[in-house]
Amino acid sequence: GFDSTWRKRPRNVSADGCAIAWRARTFGLLATGGYNFGSSMSRTADRTCLFTLLHWRRDPTVRLLVATTHLARNPDSARQLLARGYQYGSLFRELLSFAHRHNAMDVPVVLTGDLNAKDCDELAGIARALAMLLSSPTHPLLWSVVDAPTPATTVTEERHLRIDYVLYQSESLSLTGISNLPRLRSPIPNAVHPSDHLPVSARLVIRPHWARIEDDARQWLACVSGNTAVRPLSGDALRTAFTFFDKAGTGLVSPLQLEAGLQSLGFPGLDSSTVRAALRQAGCESEGGRRGEEARQAGEERSWTMDLDQFVQVYTHFINKVSASSSTARQLDLAFAALNPNHSGSATRKELHAALAHMSTAPLDEERVDEILTELEDAKEGGKITVASFTAWMARRYASSLGDPSVIHDSMERVPNYGDIWPLQVYNQ
């Protein structure tokens, strides 16, 4: 049989809501919660989101956090896109609070629901842009969220769209299968499909901690070697990836350790000379850096070493080149288009401020926002904010987070005390 949790939609005239069900012999319930939301901070709550924390009965130390929601309707409306941007961003903030409260910050997350979005990359881009522009607290899921690809999930007289999603935390979960959906050629519901939405299912496997570290190291190597497309790493993930090579925990990686790591990661044809060439190209090879110099002064014989600072710097140098042609760039383009509803290719301070105010999940820190808007202005375009200046600012912000992970507030310990600006009591209504 199955057990379940349910949360009613806050609309008095509606009996619907969100539900999560699981096979009772496989999973056990640890905690449940959620919150209600509207289209922006000033709107009456009209929708809901449900969180459920489960444990695997075979091994209770293995846990899974599942969230489900239903975002603002009408995927073709630009105004509703602003509403969904607010709602999607608030989801990650509330998820952070729920995970922190239940000691589940390192638990893999699956997010499902009717997101009413034609492109989930658009929502991800908006949420990531808001997190960086406004220093918004957010769950780490935001930086590695990936969707299980499916064809259209709804067909009506007006639309033929994919709006129902299974999203997962790619750094801790692997996708191994997706259900086959029928290719719809006529509107639903009909005699075969009793709903106007098709059910989406996916098979996911929880990745062991060592596998996550290994994949972070693989993403670092793929980036600095120009070998393949990469998943952007956070500052914390970079530091974890460094430990994959620094097996002795000395803070330095020797050529022997680097070669051993390259072999186990499975990059044929690469050796330590490739990494050293990348360091030189990034301008950060200095025979082991500051710590290497200290080691030599202590009398240790090291022909070459790489320290954590170099490890981070070389990645920062190459990720900017990779990102320019990656899905990250596409997400930023989509985010800027959402923040600039006129689609003119540029926005004024007033226009961008209005969009931020509409989508922010807390009252704006006006002084900080004014500083950011000044930084975003493109002097070559008469002080307007352009796609180029917007993406350049985002790249700088991301680079700064690699050097100092604390600038991204993806844990409650990193959330500053905003006092009256942003009381923590707003979490989990």
Side-chain angles (χ1 to χ4, degrees), residues 170-174 205-209 211-212 215-216 231:
S170 62
E171 68 175 0
S172 51
L173 293 165
S174 295
V205 175
I206 297 177
R207 304 168 67 194
H209 181 65
R212 303 182 203 179
D215 189 59
D216 287 342
R231 165 177 59 84

Side-chain angles (χ1 to χ4, degrees), residues 252 286-305:
L252 295 169
S286 56
E287 295 302 320
R290 178 179 55 80
R291 295 199 61 181
E293 181 63 27
E294 292 172 355
R296 285 192 300 277
Q297 290 176 359
E300 298 182 28
E301 295 183 0
R302 298 177 183 267
S303 59
W304 177 87
T305 54

Side-chain angles (χ1 to χ4, degrees), residues 221-359:
L221 183 58
C223 178
V224 302
S225 66
N227 194 274
T228 184
V230 297
R231 165 177 59 84
L233 299 174
S234 67
D236 289 326
L238 264 180
R239 281 148 181 79
T240 302
F242 182 77
T243 66
F244 177 83
F245 298 100
D246 180 23
K247 297 276 197 269
T250 63
L252 295 169
V253 176
S254 68
L256 186 61
Q257 290 172 321
L258 184 58
E259 293 282 359
L262 296 179
Q263 291 177 16
S264 60
L265 290 175
F267 279 74
L270 290 187
D271 56 27
S272 61
S273 64
T274 303
V275 174
R276 295 190 65 175
L279 287 166
R280 286 192 295 273
Q281 189 174 342
C284 57
E285 186 186 41
S286 56
E287 295 302 320
R290 178 179 55 80
R291 295 199 61 181
E293 181 63 27
E294 292 172 355
R296 285 192 300 277
Q297 290 176 359
E300 298 182 28
E301 295 183 0
R302 298 177 183 267
S303 59
W304 177 87
T305 54
M306 175 175 57
D307 61 23
L308 176 60
D309 289 342
Q310 292 171 297
F311 189 84
V312 172
Q313 289 170 24
V314 70
Y315 179 83
T316 303
H317 175 81
F318 284 97
I319 193 61
N320 287 331
K321 296 182 177 181
V322 172
S323 297
S325 59
S326 69
S327 61
T328 301
R330 178 174 179 271
Q331 289 175 359
L332 289 178
D333 287 344
L334 292 170
F336 185 79
L339 293 167
N340 173 31
N342 295 326
H343 303 294
S344 61
S346 64
T348 64
R349 292 174 66 100
K350 183 178 180 180
E351 289 171 337
L352 191 53
H353 184 280
L356 291 175
H358 193 97
M359 286 195 279

